[in-house]
Amino acid sequence: MKQVLILISLITFSFSCLGQKERTVDDELPTENLEMRKDSNKRTNRPKRKNYSQIYVPNANKILYGNPCVLEETHKMGFEYLIEPPNISGSKTWKGKFLNNLLVKSKLVVTRSPFWKMILNKKIKKCRQMSGDLVG
């Protein structure tokens, strides 16, 4: 009798599993939408994320890493700085970083202007003054 009950429970469990769709990790993650509507937490209502190109830098000198104003300005230009010190396990080689930076900077020269770096430095200086990072 016990074996029959186990067999019946296994059969019903297998049939119930067949009717379910496969769930992914994205289905379980919360969305970035903070509205209180009923359908606000659906995947289709999630805001679109833009993939930004990365420029690898060995240290955070003169880029104000963590300043939201500077991050916004670099995102407007279509890239972001990624701090990766040399000789860290799992990091790109110097050749890979150089080729990546060359490609991204060439893209910026074509899409923004040949003077994109001067324009960005001017905006970074303005952000430093607004946030109080610039003294003098």
Side-chain angles (χ1 to χ4, degrees), residues 20-112:
Q20 296 177 356
K21 76 169 197 162
E22 187 174 334
R23 296 181 66 112
T24 61
V25 174
D26 288 340
D27 294 335
E28 301 297 327
L29 293 175
T31 63
E32 296 175 1
N33 197 348
L34 299 177
E35 294 182 24
M36 297 300 289
R37 299 187 325 235
K38 180 180 178 183
D39 60 344
S40 65
N41 202 20
K42 288 189 178 177
R43 187 173 176 196
T44 56
N45 294 331
R46 185 179 308 159
K48 303 290 185 231
R49 290 186 181 178
K50 186 176 178 186
N51 292 329
Y52 298 104
S53 303
Q54 286 122 4
I55 294 180
Y56 292 100
V57 292
N59 52 27
N61 293 345
K62 300 182 182 178
I63 61 169
L64 291 182
Y65 190 76
N67 190 326
C69 177
V70 174
L71 187 66
E72 182 181 328
E73 293 298 332
T74 57
H75 282 182
K76 284 180 187 175
M77 288 196 153
F79 76 98
E80 61 187 5
Y81 286 111
L82 187 65
I83 300 171
E84 193 169 285
N87 302 330
I88 290 183
S89 63
S91 67
K92 282 189 167 188
T93 62
W94 69 270
K95 187 187 254 184
K97 291 177 191 178
F98 174 76
L99 292 175
N100 177 64
N101 289 350
L102 182 67
L103 180 70
V104 173
K105 290 177 181 181
S106 300
K107 184 178 109 177
L108 287 170
V109 166
V110 172
T111 57
R112 294 298 165 190

Side-chain angles (χ1 to χ4, degrees), residues 6-30:
I6 293 173
L7 183 63
I8 290 172
S9 64
L10 286 175
I11 291 172
T12 56
F13 178 73
S14 64
F15 281 124
S16 66
C17 290
L18 290 176
Q20 296 177 356
K21 76 169 197 162
E22 187 174 334
R23 296 181 66 112
T24 61
V25 174
D26 288 340
D27 294 335
E28 301 297 327
L29 293 175

